Amino acid sequence: MADLSEPEGTVNWKERCLTLESQLMKFRLQASKIRELLAEKVGRMIRILSLYEWLFEEESSSLSVRGLRLQLLGFFSGGRKKKTSFTSGVSLSSVTSDSDYAIPPDAYSVDTDYSEPEQKLPKTSSSSSDNGKNEPLEKSGYLLKMSGKVKTWKRRWFVLKGGELLYYKSPSDVIRKPQGQIELNASSHIERGDGKQTIQLTTEKRTYYLTADSPNILEEWIKVLQNVLKIQAASPLFIQPEIKPTMKGLLTKVKHGYSKRVWCTLVGKTLYYFRNQEDKFPLGQIKLFEAKVEEVDRSCDSDEDYEASGRSLLSTHYTVVIHPKDQGPTYLLIGSKHEKDTWLYHLTVAAGSTSVNVGSEFEQLICKLLNVEGDTTSQIWRHPTLCHSKEGITCPLTTLPSEALQTEAIKLFKTCQLFINAAVDSPAIDYHVSLAQSALQICLTHPELQNEICCQLIKQTRRRHPQNQTGPIQGLQLLALCIGLFLPQHPFLWLLKLHLKKNADSRTEFGKYAIYCQRCVERTQQNGDREARPSRMEILSTLLRNPYHHSLPFSIPVHFMNGIYQVVGFDASTTVDEFLNTLNQDTGMRKPAQSGFALFSDDPSGKDIEHCLQGNIKICDIISKWEQASKEQHPGKCEGTRTVRLTYKNRLYFSVQVHGETDREKLLLVYQTNDQIVNGLFPVNKELAMELSALLAQVEIGDFERPFSTPAGQVTSQSKSNQTLKQVLERFYPKRYRLGCSEEQLRQLCQRLSTRWMALRGHSAADCVRIYLTVARKWSFFGAKLFAAKPLTTSSLEKSFIWFAVHEDGISILDYSTMRLTVTYTYKSLMTFGGYQDDFMLVVNDAQTKDKATEKLLFAMTKPKILEITLLIASYINNFHQQKGAAHHLSAPALLTPQSGQKLKEMGSQPLLTNNRPTKCPTLL
């Protein structure tokens, strides 16, 4: 029988372990006793200091005592937890509590803030709660996710951070690009699935099914996700990102005796605070409705005033306390008097108080008007502060956070007076343009002055006896320019609307401008603030013609590739999307998402550079920025000689766009293709180029007129015909085929062109456009955008040029001379693309190659072209996903379904699928 006894020495080893364990237990007991004794002594010391601080309110003693108490509390709070429950008032029992440490005198209730010290929060979470508990907003762990195409469960590592749920294959992949992301917003919601461990997460784009390893883990995920959704749903900062905060700044918040430096933002009737200015999610919020806001007449008593090195007090803070309804107070420590006055006023207004004891004299009068609901018969309206003044002001009308801004406000009033008092005529018009642009640029640079200038213009357009005379029209003109850029905050916006309503009258010029200002207020509220000061065109249009008579007071021509233009109207708040909607309706074209057309502007430098305009940018901002850039690049030139040139042409070409193409779109595509042919960006031989030129001549001019047979008029008619043929060749025939031609060769070209042109006699323009597109679309890369680039390789010194062809399927590299396909990289194979130092970089992952799966390619290009190609590639990728999602949800009627798209390819777009250019050029006749 085998010997199963333990080896020699095993018993001694076990005995040693037991001995060490018993010794460790003794040490733990001794440490616990020492900690309890230390806790008792420190607790007594803190209670004594708290009682001393509570009883004596002197500045020096209170400040030093609270600082010492908080230092002791922060040192000791990591070891033991609070046992004391919060009560609704301050009592001696709370001060002489039997808990580990005493509760500070201001810690007697719970609001939407923390009840634990903020310094104790873990770094991986932030919180905002209604019950005083910490609510984590970040989490990571494994979950099973149901895949989209094949309904199978796949195990993925999920990371919730910054309102996004990212998932990876494993935790080690978090440093790489995630396999996917789920954006959470106010419209997302969570439901429990069929199983006990499954949840259903529904977003705007799709529904996700996630399964946890256990019910407990599932509950943790549900809690964290609900916290994130609750924060987003509760905060208008995320529902409406365009909302402009009334006030924002870095303040020290004191709550329950604990202080923290936070970034505060006042939006509506809620004060949000963040860890820093860049944070997306607030740490918490304070509801100001029916709250009591007042200044505390005492110095700051927070330990935040001490530097980490323990040096003495740096500065004295001003303190504002907020008492929410049925909740405990929160103290805001503010560094300067000007800031304190501004915060106190706006917090008071947000709380709904109509107290006349805060703010400037002008603001106090507004509070009185609010109390009487703006009664038009009230004598408050005749107060000199609210009415036109010939003299300047000695102090700002509104409360401003710094002395420098107060000085700037007084200068601003002088500028407004100069604008109003100087007569508007031809010699002085540029003077008014300069005054308006400088004043409004200051307000855009310093948003704190936006309320101020609106109040100044309201004051200067009011008379004490309005029945006898109206305010100056030029004041309303400047006000119209002002509110086209931005709007004041409440209650100044309320005053502005009331002022305009009182003066709106279609029978007078002043009243018509007031009505136009009302329209400006509505449009600015709808589309948000502007980014740039008004352009010269905008100011001239406002001053020289009453915009009341025009629904769209401004207008600008939009040029097309066939040489014509369309004048389109717009107002101060019109975006590019709204502008294009008007343009498409006037010209009979589809929306840009369906046609692939986009609006471009030229470059102020005059170089051959185009800029694609994004849909949310305002047209007036584009004109203004272009004008400013042109002045900087061409100083000393006369103003108004150069204006921005807008062009409308195809940018993104998809094969499905053929379905539903309008006649105007076909015509513009023909001219855009011709532009590529003329500039050598489209492969055609001389024969095909001649036939295409004849087609365009028939489209634009019509039937070719032969010279008269009579001897007298034959010479004149012959010269006109030759002139017409030369113009057609110059416009439609490739430059490289005309370069260096002798007079005899040009005469032969004209003869060949006339022969083909006469053969098209009787063909309509629509027929010629159809034939032209049928031929042009036989090239595989029709509609693609070509970029010239030079490959950067370390192996060869000779670097020849290549063509980049960016199209709907990917990026193709073509031979520079023959334009034959070299290689194509689909968008799925792109790992990274864009500018790399001074070059353009492509990082591709080619699954077909085993030796080198990932390849980095560098190409030399100019910086404007690098930016253009990068944005174009990104737009193709984004449009692909948008169209795929729209087709999946059947929410885009203009997009083809996969079945109809396949039928279209089988019927008429088969040549688009081939990669090689046809060797034989097609003939038309």
Side-chain angles (χ1 to χ4, degrees):
M1 188 172 180
D3 186 9
L4 299 177
S5 61
E6 294 179 348
E8 186 178 354
T10 302
V11 177
N12 294 335
W13 179 77
K14 288 184 177 181
E15 288 178 355
R16 285 182 186 177
C17 288
L18 292 173
T19 303
L20 290 174
E21 285 182 0
S22 63
Q23 290 177 354
L24 182 60
M25 289 296 295
K26 290 179 182 179
F27 288 143
R28 287 178 177 173
L29 290 173
Q30 291 175 359
S32 178
K33 291 179 180 180
I34 293 173
R35 188 170 185 83
E36 288 178 0
L37 291 173
L38 183 60
E40 184 178 358
K41 291 182 179 181
V42 175
R44 288 178 182 176
M45 186 179 297
I46 292 176
R47 287 195 293 272
I48 293 172
L49 292 173
S50 299
L51 182 59
Y52 182 87
E53 176 197 1
W54 184 54
L55 294 176
F56 299 97
E57 294 290 337
E58 285 83 358
E59 177 179 344
S60 59
S61 62
S62 177
L63 179 62
S64 58
V65 168
R66 171 161 289 198
L68 178 58
R69 176 177 62 78
L70 289 177
Q71 289 180 14
L72 287 171
L73 183 57
F75 172 79
F76 190 72
S77 60
R80 302 179 67 85
K81 297 180 180 179
K82 287 185 181 180
K83 300 178 183 178
T84 311
S85 59
F86 295 123
T87 58
S88 60
V90 178
S91 64
L92 286 177
S93 61
S94 66
V95 179
T96 59
S97 171
D98 293 333
S99 59
D100 293 336
Y101 49 84
I103 300 174
D106 61 343
Y108 56 83
S109 68
V110 178
D111 61 352
T112 59
D113 208 327
Y114 310 117
S115 60
E116 293 289 333
E118 290 170 324
Q119 291 86 343
K120 293 172 63 178
L121 292 175
K123 293 183 179 180
T124 57
S125 68
S126 57
S127 66
S128 173
S129 62
D130 295 326
N131 54 6
K133 297 180 180 179
N134 293 337
E135 293 187 355
L137 298 178
E138 298 180 2
K139 186 175 175 58
S140 60
Y142 275 110
L143 291 173
L144 292 177
K145 172 185 169 293
M146 180 176 287
S147 60
K149 297 180 180 179
V150 182
K151 301 301 181 182
T152 58
W153 292 97
K154 293 185 178 180
R155 189 174 178 82
R156 294 290 180 261
W157 179 262
F158 281 80
V159 176
L160 174 62
K161 187 175 183 180
E164 290 183 339
L165 192 59
L166 311 176
Y167 54 90
Y168 307 83
K169 194 171 183 180
S170 65
S172 60
D173 293 337
V174 293
I175 60 174
R176 302 177 182 175
K177 183 180 178 180
Q179 290 190 338
Q181 63 182 38
I182 304 173
E183 294 183 3
L184 304 176
N185 51 37
S187 61
S188 305
H189 63 275
I190 306 170
E191 297 179 2
R192 294 184 181 273
D194 298 333
K196 295 182 180 180
Q197 299 170 207
T198 302
I199 58 172
Q200 178 180 328
L201 178 59
T202 304
T203 65
E204 291 181 343
K205 296 181 179 180
R206 55 173 292 190
T207 299
Y208 299 87
Y209 295 93
L210 307 174
T211 299
D213 293 339
S214 68
N216 292 335
I217 296 178
L218 182 71
E219 293 301 324
E220 293 177 3
W221 275 104
I222 290 177
K223 181 180 179 181
V224 175
L225 290 171
Q226 286 177 342
N227 291 341
V228 172
L229 297 182
K230 181 173 65 175
I231 288 256
Q232 297 215 13
S235 173
L237 293 173
F238 312 112
I239 301 174
Q240 296 176 316
E242 69 277 3
I243 289 182
K244 184 172 63 174
T246 305
M247 280 290 294
K248 55 185 178 180
L250 197 62
L251 304 176
T252 299
K253 183 181 70 68
V254 180
K255 179 76 178 185
H256 299 163
Y258 305 106
S259 63
K260 187 173 183 65
R261 197 76 168 158
V262 291
W263 178 262
C264 295
T265 302
L266 177 61
V267 179
K269 298 182 181 299
T270 306
L271 180 66
Y272 299 91
Y273 50 94
F274 304 78
R275 291 186 186 275
N276 52 61
Q277 188 175 356
E278 290 76 25
D279 266 13
K280 293 173 61 178
F281 292 94
L283 290 170
Q285 57 187 6
I286 302 174
K287 299 292 185 181
L288 295 172
F289 181 68
E290 295 185 352
K292 183 180 179 182
V293 181
E294 58 185 357
E295 182 182 1
V296 178
D297 188 16
R298 55 180 293 184
S299 299
C300 167
D301 54 1
S302 168
D303 63 339
E304 290 290 330
D305 285 318
Y306 294 92
E307 288 187 332
S309 59
R311 285 184 289 179
S312 60
L313 187 66
L314 294 176
S315 62
T316 302
H317 283 85
Y318 296 86
T319 305
V320 174
V321 60
I322 303 173
H323 291 269
K325 190 176 181 181
D326 301 327
Q327 294 176 3
T330 298
Y331 299 90
L332 300 178
L333 310 183
I334 306 172
S336 68
K337 182 180 184 301
H338 301 291
E339 275 189 287
K340 180 265 299 180
D341 292 339
T342 309
W343 275 105
L344 180 61
Y345 174 75
H346 288 290
L347 289 172
T348 303
V349 172
S353 173
T354 54
S355 173
V356 294
N357 298 322
V358 296
S360 64
E361 183 182 16
F362 189 90
E363 291 167 336
Q364 292 179 11
L365 290 171
I366 296 177
C367 290
K368 291 180 180 179
L369 288 174
L370 281 169
N371 288 331
V372 297
E373 298 181 353
D375 183 13
T376 55
T377 61
S378 174
Q379 293 296 320
I380 303 174
W381 288 107
R382 297 187 179 182
H383 194 283
T385 306
L386 294 177
C387 298
H388 180 271
S389 172
K390 292 183 179 180
E391 296 79 19
I393 57 176
T394 57
C395 60
L397 301 183
T398 61
T399 304
L400 296 171
S402 70
E403 188 174 351
L405 288 175
Q406 290 183 350
T407 304
E408 203 64 47
I410 297 174
K411 294 179 182 178
L412 202 60
F413 189 83
K414 294 179 181 179
T415 303
C416 293
Q417 284 184 312
L418 291 173
F419 185 93
I420 292 172
N421 296 330
V424 176
D425 51 20
S426 298
I429 195 69
D430 287 327
Y431 178 68
H432 284 84
V433 171
S434 177
L435 286 174
Q437 288 183 338
S438 61
L440 295 176
Q441 181 61 60
I442 290 172
C443 295
L444 290 173
T445 306
H446 304 284
E448 299 88 351
L449 293 172
Q450 294 175 6
N451 290 335
E452 176 70 23
I453 191 173
C454 289
C455 291
Q456 290 180 4
L457 292 174
I458 292 172
K459 170 184 171 64
Q460 292 301 91
T461 51
R462 291 197 69 257
R463 299 288 189 183
R464 295 190 67 179
H465 303 284
Q467 64 272 12
N468 297 331
Q469 55 181 342
T470 59
I473 290 181
Q474 289 170 215
L476 269 188
Q477 291 172 339
L478 184 56
L479 181 61
L481 293 170
C482 178
I483 58 182
L485 301 182
F486 48 76
L487 292 177
Q489 299 292 334
H490 179 77
F492 311 115
L493 181 58
W494 170 82
L495 179 67
L496 172 63
K497 291 181 177 180
L498 194 60
H499 172 58
L500 296 176
K501 184 178 179 180
K502 288 178 60 178
N503 290 279
D505 187 358
S506 59
R507 296 168 297 180
T508 64
E509 284 296 301
F510 187 85
K512 290 176 181 178
Y513 267 103
I515 295 174
Y516 171 68
C517 288
Q518 287 179 316
R519 295 207 303 254
C520 287
V521 170
E522 294 175 0
R523 290 287 291 152
T524 306
Q525 283 183 314
Q526 178 183 353
N527 285 355
D529 294 354
R530 292 252 299 274
E531 297 178 359
R533 69 189 188 187
S535 63
R536 188 173 188 271
M537 177 275 300
E538 185 178 351
I539 297 174
L540 292 180
S541 298
T542 305
L543 292 180
L544 300 181
R545 60 176 184 175
N546 194 327
Y548 166 80
H549 301 288
H550 308 273
S551 58
L552 297 172
F554 316 124
S555 59
I556 191 171
V558 178
H559 298 267
F560 298 97
M561 296 301 292
N562 60 342
I564 67 172
Y565 64 88
Q566 177 78 28
V567 177
V568 183
F570 58 97
D571 61 21
S573 298
T574 300
T575 62
V576 171
D577 283 337
E578 294 173 337
F579 186 85
L580 289 179
N581 187 41
T582 303
L583 176 63
N584 292 330
Q585 290 178 355
D586 294 343
T587 56
M589 297 180 65
R590 296 176 295 175
K591 295 179 179 180
Q594 299 165 344
S595 66
F597 278 70
L599 191 65
F600 294 83
S601 74
D602 62 335
D603 193 80
S605 65
K607 297 179 181 179
D608 186 20
I609 303 172
E610 290 183 324
H611 304 279
C612 180
L613 305 180
Q614 301 300 317
N616 58 343
I617 302 177
K618 297 179 177 61
I619 294 293
C620 282
D621 281 341
I622 294 168
I623 298 173
S624 177
K625 291 179 180 180
W626 194 97
E627 182 183 273
Q628 293 180 51
S630 179
K631 286 182 181 179
E632 294 172 359
Q633 296 179 11
H634 304 87
K637 290 195 175 183
C638 180
E639 291 186 8
T641 56
R642 297 183 69 241
T643 56
V644 62
R645 179 185 174 90
L646 301 180
T647 308
Y648 196 47
K649 61 181 183 179
N650 185 270
R651 179 172 182 258
L652 303 177
Y653 184 83
F654 296 93
S655 57
V656 294
Q657 292 172 359
V658 179
H659 181 77
E661 243 177 5
T662 65
D663 292 338
R664 177 61 63 90
E665 291 171 18
K666 293 177 182 178
L667 179 65
L668 296 181
L669 277 176
V670 165
Y671 276 93
Q672 189 166 341
T673 305
N674 170 75
D675 183 73
Q676 291 179 315
I677 291 174
V678 171
N679 293 292
L681 301 177
F682 200 99
V684 290
N685 58 18
K686 293 182 179 180
E687 191 69 22
L688 180 59
M690 187 61 69
E691 293 180 354
L692 294 177
S693 299
L695 278 172
L696 268 179
Q698 182 70 13
V699 169
E700 185 159 312
I701 302 175
D703 292 340
F704 180 70
E705 297 295 337
R706 297 178 179 178
F708 294 113
S709 57
T710 58
Q714 187 172 2
V715 177
T716 304
S717 180
Q718 183 71 39
S719 61
K720 287 184 179 180
S721 299
N722 291 336
Q723 187 68 23
T724 301
L725 291 171
K726 288 181 180 179
Q727 291 176 355
V728 169
L729 286 176
E730 186 176 350
R731 288 188 58 192
F732 304 139
Y733 197 65
K735 292 179 181 178
R736 65 182 186 274
Y737 294 154
R738 290 185 283 110
L739 191 64
C741 288
S742 62
E743 287 295 329
E744 178 62 23
Q745 290 173 331
L746 285 176
R747 190 188 64 78
Q748 293 176 0
L749 286 177
C750 291
Q751 181 64 33
R752 290 166 54 198
L753 176 62
S754 63
T755 303
R756 283 165 174 75
W757 191 356
M758 284 189 292
L760 292 171
R761 177 176 294 274
H763 283 71
S764 65
D767 287 340
C768 294
V769 167
R770 176 181 53 80
I771 297 171
Y772 193 107
L773 288 178
T774 301
V775 174
R777 281 180 168 135
K778 290 185 178 181
W779 187 43
S780 304
F781 300 107
F782 174 83
K785 175 70 174 179
L786 268 62
F787 298 86
K790 183 183 291 186
L792 299 179
T793 57
T794 57
S795 59
S796 61
L797 297 177
E798 296 294 332
K799 302 173 182 178
S800 59
F801 281 92
I802 55 95
W803 289 111
F804 267 126
V806 183
H807 50 93
E808 61 176 323
D809 297 323
I811 305 172
S812 298
I813 296 179
L814 311 180
D815 181 75
Y816 192 76
S817 57
T818 64
M819 288 192 177
R820 293 184 180 275
L821 176 65
T822 302
V823 63
T824 295
Y825 301 107
T826 62
Y827 292 124
K828 290 183 179 180
S829 65
L830 288 184
M831 303 294 292
T832 306
F833 62 92
Y836 177 74
Q837 296 179 353
D838 294 332
D839 306 314
F840 178 70
M841 178 181 67
L842 280 179
V843 179
V844 295
N845 184 10
D846 193 355
Q848 298 178 357
T849 59
K850 298 181 180 179
D851 299 336
K852 195 174 182 180
T854 303
E855 186 178 5
K856 178 181 177 182
L857 307 173
L858 289 177
F859 301 88
M861 298 176 67
T862 60
K863 287 187 176 180
K865 292 298 180 182
I866 291 176
L867 177 61
E868 184 180 353
I869 191 174
T870 302
L871 294 177
L872 186 63
I873 294 171
S875 297
Y876 266 113
I877 295 174
N878 293 336
N879 268 269
F880 172 76
H881 290 294
Q882 289 174 5
Q883 292 188 11
K884 184 178 178 181
H888 176 72
H889 290 93
L890 299 178
S891 59
L895 297 176
L896 296 178
T897 60
Q899 291 80 5
S900 59
Q902 184 63 31
K903 289 180 181 179
L904 179 64
K905 290 181 179 180
E906 293 174 358
M907 292 172 59
S909 301
Q910 195 68 28
L912 286 171
L913 302 178
T914 61
N915 289 328
N916 295 323
R917 184 165 55 92
T919 54
K920 294 183 179 180
C921 297
T923 57
L924 305 179
L925 306 174

